[in-house]
Amino acid sequence: MPATRVLVLNSGSSSVKYQLLDMAGPTRLAMGLVERIGEAGARLVHSPTGGERRERQQPIADHEAALRAVEEELAADGMGLDSPELAAVGHRVVHGGQRFSAPTVVDEEVLAEIERLVPVAPLHNPANLTGIRTARSLNPDLPQVAVFDTAFHTTMPEHAARYAIDVETADAHRVRRYGFHGTSHAYVSRRTAELLDRDPADTNIIVLHLGNGASASAVRGGRCVDTSMGLTPLEGLVMGTRSGDVDPAVVFHLSRVAGMSVDDIDTLLNKRSGLLGLCGDNDMREIVRRREEGDERATLAFDVYVHRLKKYIGAYSAVLGRVDAVAFTAGVGENSAPVRQAAVEGLEELGLALDTQLNTVRGDTPRLISPEYARVAVAVVPTDEELEIAAQAYSLVSR
Ligand code: AMP
């Protein structure tokens, strides 16, 4: 029997999400989540496709214990890490620096390089590393493939990747713009070209990945030429709890005037800002509901969010010169008709327009929401990062 299955692991700071996919379909065989790792109330939810959802509440001390519990659930369905159908484990790795521009089979040297990148991704890379090491210990013969969030953005030209700061200092500390959500931007830009029935190599697309984290990218001919996240996922759009772009002097100001430490300001900008900081909610559903009731702070949060989005659509229209499509994706992008409508409103001079009727139709497949006459197609394209990670990992090990 050919090995066509890939287990995708997304190890976050206190959670592990996983999916088992059969690339012969592709079909999803199982998915699940371990959350609150190392905290009270840890639990695992396992959902085999076509089978009964199972939930366990038990102490789960660390990522190693989490993966062992996942392995037990998969093995109970005959789909454990030692099953011969499994071709690889695909790991989401957040930071691949400048070096990793493609999925990579993990060996000691690759692990060491991911480790060297911990200072630029202190929240994410350590969890990703633990995930890889544990999966490897469960089946040392199975290829472990790292798929990097930054990889799609390594094609950015130097003038887009550089901050205008002293070159020696920047290079000594790897300070440059890397970008994130790359797997999603790659997948969605490709699917958008397919939706338009165009060759990706001849299509220019702005992708707006609007989830709890949010980022925009400018994609020319299938290659990223600019993206809104930078050294870390803090730069760019307004997000659920992250500020996105601020004047860096805000940091000095808060340090000098408010006596806040660097760690305090880090927490402020990453965890207590964005939509949450503006109005106390980070869920766009709730914000839209409050705004409809006339709530002023929710309205302000919505307006700040949309204003920033519009600025990036304008900026990336200028970067690309010619735009064929704008694609909305992720939790907010796929589901919030009011955000899409407000973001596109007033951009007719840039060639954008919405069919308000189409915009409100819900669905889980890629679709156009612009009228036929519009010069720039506007699309809703559901992202599928797990499928993209599995596809990239599988293409590497099945050669
Ligand atoms: P993601 O990070 O892609 O899972 O997106 C999560 C975010 O999507 C949540 O925080 C919500 O703000 C948002 N979201 C999910 N469903 C909806 C919806 N129906 N309308 C507006 N926002 C939504």
Side-chain angles (χ1 to χ4, degrees):
M1 196 182 300
T4 54
R5 294 178 180 175
V6 178
L7 176 65
V8 176
L9 287 181
N10 181 352
S11 307
S13 55
S14 66
S15 69
V16 174
K17 291 186 208 141
Y18 62 94
Q19 284 195 16
L20 181 66
L21 294 139
D22 191 333
M23 299 317 290
T27 47
R28 188 197 294 142
L29 302 172
M31 63 189 292
L33 164 73
V34 188
E35 54 187 359
R36 293 191 215 105
I37 296 170
E39 299 168 20
R43 65 173 196 149
L44 183 156
V45 180
H46 177 79
S47 307
T49 303
E52 195 119 320
R53 177 179 178 275
R54 304 197 289 271
E55 184 172 332
R56 294 196 201 181
Q57 308 246 4
Q58 65 182 61
I60 297 176
D62 51 25
H63 282 73
E64 194 170 329
L67 277 193
R68 288 191 189 280
V70 170
E71 161 67 0
E72 280 168 29
E73 292 298 334
L74 289 168
D77 293 329
M79 303 190 289
L81 279 159
D82 57 355
S83 74
E85 293 98 328
L86 195 60
V89 182
H91 297 266
R92 177 185 184 209
V93 179
V94 166
H95 217 308
Q98 275 180 278
R99 159 148 170 218
F100 295 112
S101 57
T104 305
V105 175
V106 174
D107 58 19
E108 284 307 321
E109 198 261 326
V110 170
L111 282 173
E113 183 61 22
I114 298 172
E115 185 100 53
R116 270 197 288 280
L117 289 161
V118 165
V120 281
L123 296 179
H124 296 102
N125 273 27
N128 302 156
L129 275 168
T130 312
I132 297 172
R133 289 197 172 108
T134 309
R136 206 155 70 141
S137 73
L138 290 170
N139 182 352
D141 298 328
L142 197 61
Q144 309 289 326
V145 180
V147 178
F148 299 91
D149 252 21
T150 45
F152 184 61
H153 305 302
T154 55
T155 54
M156 268 196 289
E158 195 63 9
H159 58 253
R162 275 270 171 206
Y163 292 111
I165 61 176
D166 172 71
V167 170
E168 278 75 35
T169 308
D171 289 352
H173 302 286
R174 304 185 191 220
V175 176
R176 58 189 281 117
R177 311 190 57 254
Y178 296 98
F180 299 88
H181 292 145
T183 312
S184 177
H185 287 283
Y187 177 81
V188 170
S189 56
R190 210 174 57 240
R191 292 303 302 261
T192 305
E194 278 170 28
L195 177 69
L196 300 179
D197 208 11
R198 292 179 64 125
D199 179 359
D202 184 34
T203 310
N204 293 350
I205 301 170
I206 298 173
V207 178
L208 303 170
H209 176 112
L210 312 177
N212 205 13
S215 61
S217 67
V219 182
R220 176 183 290 132
R223 291 160 70 85
C224 176
V225 293
D226 205 351
T227 194
S228 60
M229 285 177 165
L231 173 72
T232 76
L234 181 57
E235 191 179 341
L237 299 175
V238 177
M239 314 185 205
T241 65
R242 289 177 227 151
S243 62
D245 296 335
V246 291
D247 181 344
V250 166
V251 179
F252 325 139
H253 180 78
L254 289 175
S255 165
R256 291 176 188 137
V257 174
M260 292 173 74
S261 69
V262 167
D263 286 343
D264 290 341
I265 302 170
D266 189 330
T267 304
L268 172 78
L269 296 180
N270 274 296
K271 305 238 168 88
R272 296 200 287 120
S273 295
L275 295 170
L276 182 74
L278 285 165
C279 76
D281 261 314
N282 63 345
D283 191 322
M284 189 54 83
R285 280 165 290 206
E286 197 52 23
I287 291 166
V288 167
R289 191 191 60 72
R290 282 172 54 190
R291 174 175 171 260
E292 279 163 6
E293 290 174 353
D295 182 303
E296 274 181 28
R297 287 189 50 194
T299 303
L300 174 68
F302 185 90
D303 291 348
V304 173
Y305 185 93
V306 167
H307 179 69
R308 186 82 50 86
L309 253 181
K310 279 189 143 104
K311 289 213 290 195
Y312 272 91
I313 295 172
Y316 288 172
S317 297
V319 166
L320 290 170
R322 185 201 82 218
V323 182
D324 299 302
V326 173
F328 286 89
T329 194
V332 177
E334 290 167 31
N335 295 300
S336 184
V339 167
R340 293 193 298 255
Q341 181 172 340
V344 169
E345 221 160 53
L347 301 187
E348 293 77 13
E349 286 294 321
L350 296 178
L352 277 85
L354 267 199
D355 179 321
T356 46
Q357 194 67 36
L358 287 178
N359 186 36
T360 53
V361 177
R362 299 187 65 85
D364 52 14
T365 50
R367 57 198 183 275
L368 289 174
I369 56 170
S370 47
E372 265 182 36
Y373 66 80
R375 201 167 72 235
V376 178
V378 182
V380 178
V381 179
T383 192
D384 194 335
E385 289 170 277
E386 285 77 15
L387 178 60
E388 179 68 14
I389 290 170
Q392 290 194 15
Y394 186 63
S395 73
L396 191 60
V397 298
S398 62
R399 274 180 195 158

